[in-house]
Amino acid sequence: MERTTEDRVKVLLLFLAVGGLIVGLALQFVLGRADLAQLCWSAATLPVLAALALEIIRSLARGEVGLDVVAALSMSAALLFGEALAANIVAIMYTGGTFLEAFAEGRARREMRDLLARAPRSATRYHDGSLQEISVDEVIPGDRLLIRQGDVVPVDGHLAEGTAYLNMAALTGESLPISLEPGAEILSGSTNAGHAFDMVATEAAKDSTYAGIVRLVEQAQRSKAPMSRLADRFSIGFLAVTVLIAFAAWWATGDPIRAVAVLVVATPCPLILAVPVALVAGLSRAAQFGVLIKGAKPLESMARIHTLVLDKTGTLTDGRPQITRIHAEAGYSEDDVLRLAASLDQLSKHPMAQALVAAAEARGLVLHLPAQTEEVPGEGVVGMLEGKPVFVGGHGFVTARTGDATLAIPATEAGSVLVAVGVGQRLAGTILMADPVRADARAMLRGLRDEGVKRLVLATGDRAAVAERIAGDLGLDAIHAELSPDRKVQIVLEERKRGPVMMVGDGVNDAPALAVADVGVAMGARGAAASAEAADVVLLVDRIDRLRLGIVIAKRARAIALQSVMVGIGLSVVAMLAAAFGYLQPVQGALLQEAIDVATILNALRALRIPVPVEGAVTHRAT
């Protein structure tokens, strides 16, 4: 049965139980037909009881015993001994609770639809001196393929001739495109960021890198162990106490109605209702701050995280190139160098070009449109600006065109890129660009330590030197670099031996690890759709400090849920004893149980007002 069908059945059962109660009350108190009212309440209860019995059989087949057994016993006993109204009330509370629980635990995934949508469906193959469009499944090793600008590489292969300029962010997480020489390996899933090039396929589509990532995600999602419902952890003890009190009352008095009253008042609605209400309230509170938690199970898991595994690009770092230093030659200012570079780069789609334009606009610099521009993929851009030839690109590219080799190459850090700017026959200056650590990363990691996270681990596909530079003084417990998607999965599985693991990432290459972690967190503001679909939590705002906020809310919501459970159980036990001594009849017990439900639900709703730390302060309001 599809999940949507199950949800519809739960809604139908809830409306049937409520409708039966209303019609039955009208029959008894308006028309004076108590006999028809009893039939109406019984008829409204039986479908709920049948669905409940089916669910109990399924649970027992899985070796599980839940609170559903108590609800089934109370409805069955009430119907058997002519207390149809009490049975109907129990049915309403049970169906209402299961509906809320289904809503709280409903997953927001669409079975990797976006990940699969990005995978190329066709390829352009050379055949008998012409080009033909074929299905990607028809590509065989040895085929020569044309990869146009902007195309996603359909299969693994190697560069046939010339140079290629590829964006590998989807596979490695590296935000800066790379240049490849003839014979270099090309991985499926990378994007052509330069001119069209030819490649020779070395793998079929099903055996290529991108298809492997899709399979990893699907396998990881299937292998993740399901978590039991929080309320079910109390089921065996509560069931034993309920049955013991009910049969003791029947045996001591010989009155079966005493047992029915005990069972009705013992219906675990505080557990069935309060837990999902508290968790749904926690989900709502987190969403106010841009933390989308996809259900109650991830929220429960977030409250118990032992290890945090972080990708680098887009998580610890901003994920976009930024200017770290500008050096201006004599006769030019830093603003002059940036204005010249950004003016020429206005027509380029290169990530660094766009970053330069954004930086110039942020400084309020006036940019002019260049003329006669030409972009050499992977090297630089040339054009006429204010009547002079201007060159922007790598140091060698610019010095070769200006003829000015007097400027020594400045020292650069691992993972940084040098952009040179030339005007006419001389160098104007250089701009150093890198993907820096987020300003809030250090504070966020310290805050997570304060919230009980024991281990902080960096797992990135980037080079080891870059990972070491980024890690710096962040206080990480382990650093893993140059990882493939399957190695990231292995790192997560190894860390899970120590305790529950949260994985944070933003690229397609992170999706398998996000899926296999106890809690996967995706940077959804700018991250890949695949990582957002595979993740349990999506940060809808581009702020890593929201991670701590989500954990604070999860821990407090879970604590409120547990508190509601304990209060509900305590009140139910007191009410059971009262029923056992004859102070409560079945209908009275059902109504008292309603009052207990209201009290526990009101307590659970406190999760809507959980105070959270935001930028060093505690707030009760969404930002």
Side-chain angles (χ1 to χ4, degrees):
M1 180 184 292
E2 295 293 328
R3 180 63 181 246
T4 54
T5 304
E6 291 180 357
D7 289 344
R8 289 171 185 158
V9 169
K10 289 175 181 177
V11 173
L12 178 62
L13 290 174
L14 175 59
F15 276 104
L16 183 61
V18 173
L21 175 65
I22 294 172
V23 174
L25 291 174
L27 287 171
Q28 177 158 340
F29 295 106
V30 176
L31 301 180
R33 296 297 302 272
D35 54 337
L36 293 180
Q38 290 287 326
L39 288 175
C40 184
W41 292 325
S42 298
T45 303
L46 286 172
V48 177
L49 185 57
L52 181 55
L54 182 61
E55 183 59 34
I56 291 172
I57 292 172
R58 291 175 179 170
S59 298
L60 292 175
R62 297 191 299 267
E64 301 172 359
V65 179
L67 291 166
D68 302 334
V69 175
V70 181
L73 282 175
S74 62
M75 279 187 272
S76 300
L79 290 176
L80 181 63
F81 293 103
E83 298 289 343
L85 176 57
N88 194 179
I89 294 173
V90 172
I92 291 173
M93 299 311 297
Y94 175 78
T95 53
T98 55
F99 173 75
L100 282 173
E101 186 177 47
F103 175 77
E105 295 183 352
R107 308 292 290 196
R109 296 191 184 115
R110 294 187 292 274
E111 299 300 329
M112 298 307 298
R113 185 183 306 163
D114 290 332
L115 177 59
L116 294 172
R118 186 184 182 275
R121 298 285 189 269
S122 63
T124 305
R125 180 174 65 183
Y126 288 96
H127 182 70
D128 294 335
S130 63
L131 293 172
Q132 60 177 187
E133 290 290 325
I134 61 172
S135 168
V136 69
D137 295 326
E138 297 178 43
V139 177
I140 60 175
D143 281 348
R144 189 182 181 94
L145 307 177
L146 172 66
I147 309 299
R148 301 183 179 90
Q149 186 175 24
D151 283 353
V152 177
V153 177
V155 298
D156 292 350
H158 63 261
L159 183 60
E161 58 186 33
T163 59
Y165 199 53
L166 295 176
N167 186 336
M168 304 283 287
L171 301 177
T172 66
E174 174 53 55
S175 57
L176 302 177
I178 63 172
S179 179
L180 300 180
E181 299 300 325
E185 181 184 20
I186 298 176
L187 301 180
S188 61
S190 52
T191 303
N192 182 10
H195 293 311
F197 62 85
D198 292 349
M199 65 171 285
V200 177
T202 57
E203 300 284 352
K206 64 182 179 63
D207 300 319
S208 292
T209 301
Y210 196 79
I213 291 177
V214 174
R215 286 194 297 271
L216 279 171
V217 174
E218 292 172 339
Q219 292 167 5
Q221 287 182 331
R222 288 194 297 268
S223 66
K224 183 182 290 188
M227 213 175 89
S228 63
R229 293 183 301 176
L230 178 63
D232 280 346
R233 298 169 201 166
F234 300 89
S235 58
I236 298 296
F238 190 79
L239 175 61
V241 170
T242 299
V243 173
L244 179 63
I245 295 176
F247 277 95
W250 191 353
W251 176 79
T253 64
D255 183 4
I257 300 301
R258 293 277 185 98
V260 173
V262 170
L263 291 173
V264 168
V265 81
T267 300
C269 292
L271 306 186
I272 296 173
L273 287 170
V275 171
V277 167
L279 299 184
V280 169
L283 302 182
S284 176
R285 182 62 169 156
Q288 293 175 10
F289 295 90
V291 183
L292 177 61
I293 305 174
K294 298 180 181 179
K297 290 180 182 178
L299 186 139
E300 282 193 59
S301 296
M302 286 181 72
R304 302 181 295 109
I305 291 301
H306 176 277
T307 302
L308 176 66
V309 179
L310 295 129
D311 179 44
K312 176 187 74 68
T313 306
T315 51
L316 284 179
T317 67
D318 186 67
R320 293 171 292 192
Q322 293 184 18
I323 296 172
T324 58
R325 186 169 70 245
I326 300 178
H327 171 75
E329 289 294 290
Y332 295 93
S333 66
E334 290 187 3
D335 282 354
D336 290 335
V337 175
L338 177 57
R339 179 180 56 81
L340 289 167
S343 294
L344 195 58
D345 277 338
Q346 288 179 94
L347 305 181
S348 174
K349 294 183 179 180
H350 192 285
M352 286 192 292
Q354 295 175 351
L356 288 171
V357 173
E361 291 176 344
R363 292 194 184 193
L365 303 180
V366 178
L367 304 183
H368 300 282
L369 284 176
Q372 303 175 28
T373 59
E374 178 185 358
E375 184 169 1
V376 181
E379 297 188 46
V381 183
V382 300
M384 296 296 296
L385 195 63
E386 301 173 356
K388 298 178 182 179
V390 178
F391 315 98
V392 178
H395 188 271
F397 174 81
V398 174
T399 55
R401 281 156 178 77
T402 61
D404 184 356
T406 60
L407 180 64
I409 301 177
T412 59
E413 298 176 326
S416 61
V417 175
L418 183 71
V419 178
V421 181
V423 180
Q425 295 182 333
R426 62 168 296 194
L427 288 167
T430 57
I431 302 172
L432 192 64
M433 305 190 72
D435 186 10
V437 176
R438 288 175 179 266
D440 54 355
R442 290 179 178 83
M444 183 273 296
L445 294 178
R446 288 196 300 269
L448 290 174
R449 295 277 195 191
D450 295 339
E451 297 303 328
V453 177
K454 305 300 182 184
R455 279 179 59 81
L456 299 173
V457 178
L458 176 64
T460 177
D462 212 340
R463 301 183 303 280
V466 177
E468 293 286 350
R469 177 181 66 82
I470 292 298
D473 60 350
L474 292 180
L476 301 177
D477 297 292
I479 301 172
H480 304 279
E482 301 179 24
L483 300 177
S484 60
D486 57 334
R487 276 291 297 144
K488 284 191 176 183
V489 170
Q490 292 176 19
I491 294 296
V492 171
L493 292 176
E494 290 169 6
E495 292 294 339
R496 284 183 68 180
K497 297 175 183 177
R498 294 184 170 92
V501 173
M502 175 185 286
M503 168 71 191
V504 186
D506 76 331
V508 174
N509 62 315
D510 299 316
L514 292 175
V516 80
D518 295 281
V519 179
V521 181
M523 302 295 294
R526 290 187 288 110
S531 62
E533 291 302 327
D536 303 295
V537 180
V538 180
L539 301 185
L540 300 178
V541 292
D542 190 27
R543 292 185 54 173
I544 193 68
D545 65 333
R546 291 299 197 253
L547 197 58
R548 180 193 178 191
L549 182 150
I551 291 179
V552 169
I553 291 175
K555 292 177 72 171
R556 184 57 184 151
R558 186 174 184 273
I560 291 173
L562 284 170
Q563 183 187 78
S564 299
V565 166
M566 301 312 297
V567 170
I569 287 178
L571 292 175
S572 292
V573 170
V574 172
M576 279 191 284
L577 292 174
F581 284 100
Y583 295 110
L584 291 174
Q585 295 302 308
V587 173
Q588 293 173 327
L591 294 175
L592 177 60
Q593 186 62 57
E594 294 271 9
I596 294 174
D597 294 342
V598 171
T600 53
I601 289 172
L602 289 175
N603 183 68
L605 285 174
R606 291 190 300 113
L608 288 171
R609 301 185 303 276
I610 295 173
V612 294
V614 176
E615 298 180 339
V618 175
T619 180
H620 293 261
R621 299 179 59 189
T623 57

